Amino acid sequence: MRIVDLINKKKYGEKLTKDEIDFIIFGYTKGEVPDYQMSAMLMAIYFQGMDKEETSYLTDAFVRSGDTVDLSAIEGIKVDKHSTGGVGDKISLIVTPLVASCGIPVAKMSGRGLGHTGGTVDKLESIEGFKIELTSEAFIKNVNEHKMAIVGQSGDLTPADKKIYALRDVTGTIDSIPLIASSIMSKKIASGADAIVLDVKVGSGAFMKSLEDARILAHTMVDIGSRLGRKTVAIITNMDQPLGHEVGNANEVREAIEVLKGNGAEDETEVAMTIASYMAVLGGAYKTVEEAHAYFETLIKSGAAIEKLKTFVEIQGGNPDLIEHPERLPVASKHVEVKADLEGYVSGFDAEKVGISAMMLGAGRKKKEDPIDYAAGITLKKKIGDHVNLGDVLCILHTNEEKTIEAEKMVRAAFVFSGIEPEPIKYIYEIIE
């Protein structure tokens, strides 16, 4: 085989075999295929696409390019969830104790955030003492005894994907559905889950801007999971505005606590409960999503959900008292109110601008090595459908930075106003099984 022949084959829209895809991926990982040839192959895939079989072969090659996590010592069906990324997305903090409470093991590896705000790991680290580095023995013990653990990504998982992703970033091939789907699914499969619930976000604050693209991505990932022996469900959710009212790290933890107490915002509660319910069904705890949903509602009302979160924090070295007293989580020194300079209804959002504004305040990273200010973030006081009077507070910026003018400009530009009350928005568009 020669790489140039395979580039030409894909360039003309022909299908690559499993052996040919292995030859390309393992050759590139070992350094035998140069960047310029891999770039040509990525561009050929970008324009010609890949069919379902090719995409599953590519995903499998990514998985086999490095380590895989062996979760066989954990009893039961291990269920994981993955979000394609959004603004104010604290869903993992909510669903982990819920799903663990019905006996389904949640053995989750999460990454740090780059861009808008911190990732799940960063949010958890805003809790005093919380350890995201656990030995494999402690990780397995926590999941077997308490049915839950979240740790930072470790080991050499999917090195081929990491190397190719860096190349996609500089060759204009990021937005290719087969490449996106195989990248996401390879990491989930290498992490050892038996079943996966995907939160595919669509809208102004998501990577996928159109419902049609989100639908194609969701179907592609569900198909990959099925072909590679993983029960997979994709839930397409709205990211035309941030989830809930808090964007940041410590403030998102506070908001997750409120959801588990039954006081959460409607959008994040509906999304979290739906994802948790599908995880419970895939894990075999319930036969129907309705049964699982009813159980979780009871769990929240009884106070058992918040107790499970306290247990989760405690078994990973964190201070459980902070769940009882979330006001003791990191708080910024400055709180800047952004007020409306016109009247009308909030009819839309550029959610990405809210995320960028939060990053400017210190809640996210521009580069991997940048520190995160756990106290920084934004509290939204108005969302889509709310009426706004002149001088009403649209949001509050929380920061320890001296200057906030640019962040204020950015977040103000995120609000879209209309003189007509908008139709209620959907939080969940569709579910693909």
Side-chain angles (χ1 to χ4, degrees), residues 288-308:
T288 70
V289 171
E290 292 75 20
E291 288 174 336
H293 198 285
Y295 169 75
F296 292 136
E297 285 182 342
T298 303
L299 204 69
I300 289 170
K301 285 176 185 173
S302 70
I306 202 69
E307 288 301 315
K308 193 69 173 176

Side-chain angles (χ1 to χ4, degrees), residues 137-154:
E137 292 78 15
F139 180 74
I140 289 167
K141 181 174 182 287
N142 281 0
V143 181
N144 274 332
E145 290 185 6
H146 302 281
K147 302 301 177 187
M148 55 188 169
I150 297 180
V151 294
Q153 289 174 350
S154 60

Side-chain angles (χ1 to χ4, degrees), residues 374-389:
Y374 299 122
I378 297 171
T379 300
L380 296 172
K381 306 302 283 187
K382 300 290 183 181
K383 293 186 71 175
I384 293 175
D386 290 338
H387 186 267
V388 176
N389 293 312

Side-chain angles (χ1 to χ4, degrees), residues 330-371:
V331 177
S333 59
K334 290 177 68 175
H335 309 279
V336 180
E337 292 184 341
V338 177
K339 296 182 179 180
D341 53 9
L342 46 75
E343 294 187 7
Y345 290 93
V346 179
S347 60
F349 258 101
D350 186 331
E352 187 173 9
K353 285 182 178 175
V354 178
I356 294 170
S357 178
M359 182 179 68
M360 291 174 168
L361 298 170
R365 297 181 179 87
K366 292 179 183 175
K367 303 186 297 294
K368 281 185 181 178
E369 59 272 17
D370 287 349

Side-chain angles (χ1 to χ4, degrees), residues 156-333:
D156 193 21
L157 300 183
T158 65
D161 172 57
K162 290 187 183 77
K163 191 173 181 183
I164 286 171
Y165 191 92
L167 195 61
R168 286 167 58 202
D169 195 32
V170 294
T171 55
T173 53
I174 285 287
D175 53 337
S176 159
I177 296 288
L179 297 177
I180 296 168
S182 56
S183 176
I184 291 170
M185 290 301 290
S186 64
K187 287 190 277 286
K188 290 290 105 181
I189 290 165
S191 297
D194 299 316
I196 305 161
V197 176
L198 300 162
D199 181 2
V200 181
K201 298 193 178 297
V202 59
S204 63
F207 186 71
M208 308 309 291
K209 304 298 183 187
S210 78
L211 183 56
E212 185 53 36
D213 284 346
R215 190 178 286 124
I216 294 168
L217 176 62
H219 277 286
T220 303
M221 291 193 292
V222 168
D223 183 77
I224 290 170
S226 176
R227 287 172 184 272
L228 297 183
R230 304 301 193 277
K231 291 189 278 187
T232 308
V233 171
I235 301 169
I236 302 178
T237 64
N238 190 326
M239 189 38 70
D240 271 328
Q241 63 178 348
L243 263 179
H245 295 279
E246 302 291 348
V247 179
N249 293 285
N251 57 333
E252 288 195 37
V253 173
R254 280 190 282 269
E255 190 166 41
I257 291 167
E258 288 305 306
V259 174
L260 291 170
K261 286 181 175 178
N263 306 320
E266 188 178 284
D267 57 350
E268 66 186 347
T269 301
E270 183 177 330
V271 170
M273 293 287 271
T274 302
I275 289 170
S277 297
Y278 273 93
M279 290 175 75
V281 170
L282 289 188
Y286 293 94
K287 289 184 178 178
T288 70
V289 171
E290 292 75 20
E291 288 174 336
H293 198 285
Y295 169 75
F296 292 136
E297 285 182 342
T298 303
L299 204 69
I300 289 170
K301 285 176 185 173
S302 70
I306 202 69
E307 288 301 315
K308 193 69 173 176
L309 178 63
K310 286 167 70 174
T311 299
F312 172 51
V313 169
E314 188 169 21
I315 62 174
Q316 293 205 206
N319 181 359
D321 290 343
L322 294 179
I323 305 304
E324 201 65 49
H325 301 282
E327 70 278 2
R328 296 178 188 170
L329 287 161
V331 177
S333 59

Side-chain angles (χ1 to χ4, degrees), residues 396-409:
I396 303 171
L397 312 184
H398 312 288
T399 188
N400 293 307
E401 299 286 332
E402 286 301 315
K403 295 180 180 179
T404 61
I405 293 173
E406 291 305 313
E408 287 180 56
K409 285 180 183 175

